[in-house]
Amino acid sequence: MTTTLQVQPHNYRAIRKGDRQVLLHVPTTSIFELDPAASDLLGLFESTAAVSADDIQSRFDGRYTPAELCDSLSDFVDLGIVAPQPKHYEIPARIVERSPLKTLVLTLTTGCNLGCSYCYREDLTSPKNSSVMDYQTGTRSIDLLMEEASENERVGIVFFGGEPLTRIAVIRDLVEYAEEKATAAGKEVEFSLTTNATLLTDEVIDFLDAHRFGITISIDGDQAQHDRHRRTIAGGGTYKTVAMRVKRLLERYKSKPVGARVTLASGNLDVAGIYKHLHDELGFFEVGFAPATAGPDSPVGLTREELDTVFEAFKALGREYVSEAKRGKRHGFGNMQQLMTDLWMGTRKVLPCGAGVGLLAVGTSGKISLCHRFTGSELETFGDVENGIARESLSQFMTRAQAPNSACQVCPARSLCAGGCYHESYSRSGDPFQPTFEYCDQIREWTAFGLEAFGEIGLANPAFFNAAIEQRSALQ
């Protein structure tokens, strides 16, 4: 009986650029450039349902030596790119009994001075009617972080809301407390916040600068784009105020580069124009984009056609990134930089993010949630700052989260996606474990685009990646 081998398309993604071919090994997120023998051998497997030794000999006899073909075939078999029968790599779920905390998000308030149409918070209200975290809950949260981060020499505290700067007084007090506790514990503590920028004053900027905050500004483009969804509670536009505050921030703030986060909601699709305005005109170091979190019937969510438009725009902006990278220049497209970083570092996800395994969030009442997006939601909580983390229920959640959907097992983007954001899934289906299938086609296409871009940059300027990752780390 003749032994034959079959290609395993779910275990790799190959991209050809000119006469060169780059292959992503999906199970390990390793990247290889194929030599001519390997490239042609892969082409044979991709065009033939089952390949025998005789097929290889008849196709390549006289073109490649037996040693070249055997080496390439052996590599493909070892990587699971070809196999006698379907081959799937299954990573057994790891029981997470305890994961040292690295980052704790403090939700200081449920109140915000804006009324953005796409805000995902279930408990959002005005500052006047908000629930707030008092100083005692904040200090106990910091105590918990220091206790649970015993193995980590560096920890992070993220101030969140609502709008966290409505609580600047308690931020000042908690920063002082955290620095004292970190010094006593022999740790470094880093602070960050995301703000709508409307409450930035010179005094606030100087305080944030003195304590080296990582700052992200929520802003959606120029006046027409920004004011479409980011308005005051009374319905007024906010762009002029935000732009004025941002300009002052970027003039005065020296500790770290400042990034912009753009939410793409229905009607706001001009990715190139938004990027140009925020990066080239206002001067943000990096600009990142994310679709609005919305249920299937929400008027602010992107339709399938709008998602296609956005991802085509991403690729156009990504090509600008590649052009600059090949010349050794930095480009501020955050989504592309993240993708290049993941490929360069060989990111291999079995969970979509660090929520629950290094990151947790505390709500205003002191209850512990999976991440900041879930504080105030109906999803179960995992203990509180007085009694500690509910390890058994958190462990059960994280174990279940590692069980991939059957559709994900054969997806070539699975190692970079792992099913997508828990909160996106929860918002759309009520189930945090249900993959966000609405984005699957675009994510696969974006991964393929990134692989091609990675290969092109790597061939033209391989030193770019180390420098780019070092530059981006300055944002953290």
Side-chain angles (χ1 to χ4, degrees):
M1 180 177 179
T2 302
T3 300
T4 61
L5 298 172
Q6 306 167 18
V7 72
Q8 309 292 308
H10 52 282
N11 286 335
Y12 77 96
R13 189 68 182 260
I15 299 293
R16 184 178 292 279
K17 189 71 175 180
D19 60 351
R20 286 173 154 168
Q21 192 168 27
V22 177
L23 181 145
L24 170 69
H25 183 236
V26 172
T28 61
T29 325
S30 301
I31 296 177
F32 304 90
E33 183 182 357
L34 303 185
D35 62 23
S39 182
D40 286 347
L41 184 60
L42 181 62
L44 171 62
F45 277 100
E46 289 179 331
S47 63
T48 308
V51 177
S52 67
D54 290 341
D55 295 327
I56 296 174
Q57 182 177 7
S58 63
R59 173 71 69 91
F60 299 117
D61 190 25
R63 293 173 57 188
Y64 300 110
T65 66
E68 288 176 312
L69 293 170
C70 286
D71 285 348
S72 296
L73 183 61
S74 177
D75 289 341
F76 286 158
V77 171
D78 289 344
L79 292 170
I81 292 170
V82 299
Q85 56 271 332
K87 182 171 184 177
H88 297 278
Y89 287 86
E90 295 185 7
I91 303 175
R94 178 172 63 93
I95 298 176
V96 183
E97 294 181 347
R98 180 181 182 273
S99 179
L101 269 183
K102 184 177 181 181
T103 303
L104 193 64
V105 185
L106 304 185
T107 302
L108 299 179
T109 176
T110 61
C112 186
N113 57 334
L114 300 190
C116 304
S117 61
Y118 51 63
C119 186
Y120 59 78
R121 291 202 62 87
E122 297 178 36
D123 59 351
L124 190 75
T125 184
S126 67
K128 179 181 178 181
N129 298 316
S130 64
S131 169
V132 300
M133 178 181 289
D134 59 30
Y135 175 73
Q136 289 72 26
T137 302
T139 57
R140 186 65 195 99
S141 301
I142 293 168
D143 292 342
L144 179 70
L145 172 62
M146 298 302 172
E147 293 164 5
E148 295 291 338
S150 56
E151 294 90 336
N152 293 321
E153 296 179 355
R154 179 178 296 177
V155 296
I157 296 174
V158 183
F159 294 107
F160 211 77
E163 170 49 49
L165 291 183
T166 62
R167 302 277 290 149
I168 185 62
V170 77
I171 289 176
R172 290 178 184 274
D173 292 340
L174 291 176
V175 164
E176 180 181 2
Y177 183 83
E179 289 176 340
E180 291 176 354
K181 292 290 290 188
T183 298
K187 300 181 186 298
E188 293 182 37
V189 60
E190 298 178 337
F191 305 102
S192 61
L193 60 78
T194 299
T195 174
N196 62 35
T198 59
L199 301 178
L200 287 172
T201 64
D202 286 354
E203 182 184 8
V204 170
I205 292 169
D206 290 345
F207 167 77
L208 299 177
D209 196 28
H211 296 277
R212 298 184 54 79
F213 268 67
I215 300 175
T216 301
I217 304 297
S218 296
I219 182 171
D220 288 350
D222 63 18
Q223 184 169 1
Q225 294 160 330
H226 181 89
D227 285 349
R228 181 174 287 116
H229 294 286
R230 297 190 66 82
R231 307 178 73 83
T232 66
I233 295 172
T238 62
Y239 174 81
K240 290 183 178 179
T241 299
V242 171
M244 177 182 66
R245 305 289 190 189
V246 163
K247 289 176 182 178
R248 188 61 173 163
L249 172 69
L250 297 179
E251 289 170 357
R252 199 173 181 95
Y253 194 79
K254 304 302 179 186
S255 292
K256 294 183 178 182
V258 178
R261 185 190 188 282
V262 178
T263 300
L264 296 171
S266 184
N268 259 25
L269 307 178
D270 183 15
V271 170
I274 293 170
Y275 174 82
K276 180 178 179 180
H277 179 68
L278 298 182
H279 183 268
D280 300 348
E281 297 173 10
L282 288 187
F284 283 103
F285 178 80
E286 186 170 290
V287 181
F289 298 82
T293 299
D297 300 321
S298 171
V300 300
L302 300 180
T303 65
R304 179 57 185 262
E305 292 74 20
E306 287 177 322
L307 277 173
D308 289 341
T309 298
V310 163
F311 273 85
E312 286 303 314
F314 275 19
K315 288 191 287 185
L317 200 55
R319 284 187 280 271
E320 289 185 18
Y321 178 103
V322 172
S323 178
E324 293 292 281
K326 289 164 67 175
R327 299 189 299 118
K329 303 294 184 181
R330 187 193 66 81
H331 192 280
F333 182 24
N335 302 67
M336 189 68 176
Q337 182 61 48
Q338 184 62 58
L339 179 57
M340 293 298 98
T341 299
D342 284 341
L343 291 173
W344 175 248
M345 298 184 70
T347 299
R348 184 191 187 197
K349 293 182 178 180
V350 293
L351 295 168
C353 66
V357 285
L359 180 146
L360 289 169
V362 180
T364 57
S365 67
K367 291 183 178 180
I368 298 170
S369 293
L370 191 66
C371 76
H372 56 285
R373 286 175 166 253
F374 284 109
T375 57
S377 76
E378 295 298 319
L379 189 74
E380 66 175 315
T381 53
F382 301 99
D384 58 66
V385 297
E386 293 300 328
N387 299 296
I389 300 169
R391 298 197 187 282
E392 184 176 353
S393 58
L394 181 59
S395 176
Q396 290 172 354
F397 185 98
M398 302 316 305
T399 300
R400 184 179 174 191
Q402 294 174 68
N405 186 282
S406 58
C408 297
Q409 291 179 324
V410 295
C411 176
R414 62 186 181 276
S415 293
L416 295 172
C417 171
C421 171
Y422 299 120
H423 189 262
E424 286 277 356
S425 299
Y426 170 79
S427 297
R428 289 176 175 274
S429 67
D431 180 1
F433 304 110
Q434 176 72 17
T436 48
F437 290 121
E438 293 82 357
Y439 299 144
C440 289
D441 290 343
Q442 288 90 355
I443 290 172
R444 283 189 283 267
E445 188 175 349
W446 182 238
T447 301
F449 174 79
L451 180 60
E452 180 178 341
F454 184 91
E456 188 173 344
I457 295 169
L459 293 171
N461 183 13
F464 168 79
F465 295 108
N466 275 332
I469 291 171
E470 289 176 3
Q471 287 179 329
R472 194 168 197 267
S473 67
L475 277 173
Q476 306 303 315

